[in-house]
Amino acid sequence: MNEMNWLAIYPEILLLALTCVIAMVDLFVKHPQRAPTYWLTVFSLVAVGALQLSYIGDTRTVYGMNRMVVSDPMGNLLEFFATIATLVSLVYARPYAAERGMLKGELFTLSLFSLLGIMLLISANNFLTIYLGLELMTLSLYALVALRRDHAGATEAAMKYFVLGALASGFLLYGLSMMYGATSSLDIPTVLARINAGNINEQVLVFGIVFVVAGLAFKLAAVPFHMWVPDVYQGAPTGVTLLISGAPQLAGFAMAIRLLVDGMYGLAEQWQHMLIVLAVASLVVGNLAAIAQTNLKRMLAYSTIGQMGFMLLGLSCGVVTGNTASAGNAYSSAMFYAITYVLTTLGTFGLIALLSRQGFEAEEIDDLKGLNQRSPWYAAVMAIFMFSLAGVPPAVGFFAKLAVLQALVSTNLPLYIWLAVIAVLLSLIGAFYYLRVVKVMYFDQATDTAPIRTSFDARAVMSLNGVAVLVFGLLPGGLMTLCVNAIRDLAGG
């Protein structure tokens, strides 16, 4: 077998080559709207997405780069959706960035390097690859948050994101180093094999798991490691908030699967208990704090914390009293939740970006007053997103929550049934602040009567985004089947 096996990283190679071409071409672009760079970026993401789409359905697991990376069904599916999320984010962000003097080549190249880091994280099969992917993703995002240099809020958000992000990376790196000390390997399958063999220093390993889970919780915005989320989401330019809130969530989910399921499945009972605590705390803090918010971006940030709590519940019920029979169901429901949440949150932040204009940021909930009178279509699309986040049928968020609850109840253990009850109660509380946005759009008088002007491509993508949230809710079977097939061959599947 060819140990390098380039087949496993063809999409990453293609993306890297195209990003370098875009960076070079942009040096000669004089167009004020950066049209050549933008369309070249769109073409690149479509090409990479098409290549990734051709991999979906391939059930083979292929290792490459001396087993540093792996191409498997889960990685192929998540990489495809991460590419789509980045493409959609840039389409929404372009008019927003143009009106604020942010439409520079860096917006596109840094976004593509961030996506490259996400793809490396998703396909990682070694601790070193995970760390390299994480740093490539986060360093690009730090720079993107600071892209609007003349804005004090954006600069402050970039500093907070950098400092707290560096702290999270330190936690993760320290945890990985302890795991290396306990197992003498950086290769994830080898770590799993040595844990299963039992020839390890378990005390050191458990300490390592604590730091790894803490690092993951930072990246997934779980309580008590959530402090950066509201400040960064609010302070970053909305076009960049889109890039932070979308594809990186898929990378966080993949990192949790690679490290916890692929690498430490034999210690699932230990890390599942930690995930349960993080999930319940995130549901409580996220949903209760969001009620008090008047700033829409801040409310959606706390909503993200609560939604990640729900997703963690799916990851916490794979192994029940040593029985792994429900692992596939649990992890595939969490994966379905992560993908559909990203699809929905892109639309919410995208609409905020489209409603903003030069000199005006549509960031307060009151800024949506009477949106139905100004644009019935945008109001309807935003209502679909809010219903989905609240878990109201037939939007896809309802089916995502139902899948996680079914995974919890199917364990037939009182602990998990109580967790399902808590999740339902907190979702009902959370529905208040989502439905408040719908009420403001449809029943309050419009105070802003300025016409909504958006580009054709942004309008078209926003419409497709809203329709997709509705269609996946009415017909969730296809996407759920893809998630089940993607999880089937993992260590826990």
Side-chain angles (χ1 to χ4, degrees):
M1 184 182 73
N2 179 6
E3 288 296 328
M4 294 305 289
N5 207 356
W6 301 104
L7 177 66
I9 55 167
Y10 275 164
E12 285 85 351
I13 294 172
L14 178 62
L15 178 61
L16 177 61
L18 290 171
T19 304
C20 292
V21 170
I22 291 168
M24 293 296 294
V25 168
D26 185 71
L27 294 174
F28 303 97
V29 172
K30 304 298 181 189
H31 194 281
Q33 295 293 316
R34 240 44 190 197
T37 311
Y38 170 71
W39 287 111
L40 197 53
T41 303
V42 170
F43 166 76
S44 302
L45 290 170
V46 169
V48 172
L51 180 59
Q52 290 163 337
L53 186 62
S54 71
Y55 282 27
I56 294 176
D58 189 343
T59 56
R60 290 178 300 168
T61 297
V62 180
Y63 294 96
M65 308 296 289
N66 291 312
R67 299 180 69 85
M68 296 285 281
V69 296
V70 60
S71 171
D72 58 6
M74 186 195 80
N76 297 335
L77 187 62
L78 288 177
E79 285 187 14
F80 172 71
F81 278 104
T83 302
I84 296 299
T86 304
L87 174 60
V88 171
S89 300
L90 287 175
V91 172
Y92 291 153
R94 186 195 181 203
Y96 179 93
E99 291 181 351
R100 288 155 186 80
M102 294 166 47
L103 197 58
K104 305 167 184 171
E106 293 93 319
L107 175 66
F108 302 104
T109 51
L110 286 171
S111 300
L112 295 178
F113 276 123
S114 168
L115 176 62
L116 183 61
I118 289 168
M119 289 165 62
L120 275 177
L121 259 177
I122 291 173
S123 61
N125 193 50
N126 188 288
F127 292 162
L128 290 178
T129 318
I130 283 182
Y131 198 71
L132 285 173
L134 180 67
E135 289 305 297
L136 181 55
M137 176 186 77
T138 51
L139 287 173
S140 303
L141 291 176
Y142 301 151
L144 279 168
V145 174
L147 200 58
R148 197 177 177 189
R149 301 186 189 95
D150 58 344
H151 193 270
T155 309
E156 181 185 343
M159 284 300 294
K160 287 180 179 174
Y161 194 22
F162 174 74
V163 172
L164 293 174
L167 187 64
S169 296
F171 272 127
L172 186 68
L173 189 61
Y174 189 60
L176 294 177
S177 67
M178 294 186 83
M179 290 177 63
Y180 172 72
T183 62
S184 303
S185 177
L186 296 172
D187 183 63
I188 292 175
T190 306
V191 168
L192 177 67
R194 291 185 180 165
I195 290 174
N196 290 338
N199 187 23
I200 53 169
N201 185 333
E202 189 163 336
Q203 193 174 15
V204 174
L205 193 62
V206 170
F207 269 113
I209 292 174
V210 171
F211 281 97
V212 167
V213 170
L216 287 172
F218 261 109
K219 297 306 175 190
L220 287 171
V223 175
F225 306 103
H226 65 291
M227 298 77 73
W228 62 275
V229 185
D231 291 343
V232 173
Y233 276 32
Q234 183 182 3
T238 305
V240 176
T241 309
L242 269 162
L243 292 161
I244 298 172
S245 62
Q249 306 296 337
L250 298 177
F253 172 82
M255 191 162 56
I257 290 287
R258 296 296 186 206
L259 286 174
L260 300 180
V261 179
D262 278 356
M264 292 182 280
Y265 195 53
L267 297 171
E269 300 281 0
Q270 279 91 335
W271 55 258
Q272 281 186 177
H273 291 157
M274 287 186 266
L275 293 190
I276 288 172
V277 174
L278 294 173
V280 174
S282 300
L283 282 167
V284 172
V285 173
N287 284 301
L288 294 183
I291 292 174
Q293 306 305 316
T294 56
N295 182 283
L296 189 55
K297 287 170 72 177
R298 205 167 180 86
M299 186 204 85
L300 290 171
Y302 280 107
S303 156
T304 298
I305 294 167
Q307 299 282 349
M308 287 299 104
F310 223 108
M311 192 272 287
L312 286 173
L313 284 179
L315 290 175
S316 69
C317 60
V319 179
V320 183
T321 60
N323 188 345
T324 62
S326 60
N329 184 32
Y331 301 146
S332 59
S333 67
M335 186 174 176
F336 183 87
Y337 199 98
I339 290 173
T340 55
Y341 168 72
V342 169
L343 184 68
T344 309
T345 201
L346 284 176
T348 57
F349 282 110
L351 199 60
I352 295 172
L354 296 187
L355 293 179
S356 301
R357 57 183 182 276
Q358 192 168 19
F360 173 74
E361 300 287 340
E363 292 185 354
E364 298 295 322
I365 294 175
D366 284 350
D367 293 332
L368 296 183
K369 278 184 175 178
L371 181 60
N372 182 52
Q373 300 157 26
R374 299 171 62 199
S375 172
W377 176 242
Y378 279 156
V381 170
M382 188 64 162
I384 292 172
F385 294 144
M386 290 295 114
F387 286 142
S388 182
L389 290 171
V392 176
V396 70
F398 166 74
F399 193 83
K401 282 182 165 57
L402 184 64
V404 172
L405 292 174
Q406 282 179 335
L408 289 168
V409 173
S410 65
T411 60
N412 289 322
L413 280 183
L415 170 64
Y416 290 104
I417 292 172
W418 273 111
L419 285 175
V421 172
I422 292 170
V424 170
L425 290 175
L426 288 166
S427 293
L428 288 174
I429 293 171
F432 167 78
Y433 57 85
Y434 294 124
L435 298 181
R436 182 176 60 181
V437 174
V438 178
K439 174 255 178 191
V440 164
M441 290 191 301
Y442 281 91
F443 298 105
D444 286 5
Q445 191 64 33
T447 54
D448 180 7
T449 55
I452 301 172
R453 294 193 179 91
T454 53
S455 59
F456 171 77
D457 53 345
R459 279 200 309 274
V461 171
M462 177 58 69
S463 302
L464 286 173
N465 197 340
V467 170
V469 169
L470 200 57
V471 169
F472 279 131
L474 292 169
L475 303 167
L479 181 57
M480 180 53 91
T481 302
L482 286 174
C483 292
V484 170
N485 293 337
I487 292 294
R488 183 181 297 157
D489 295 330
L490 294 178

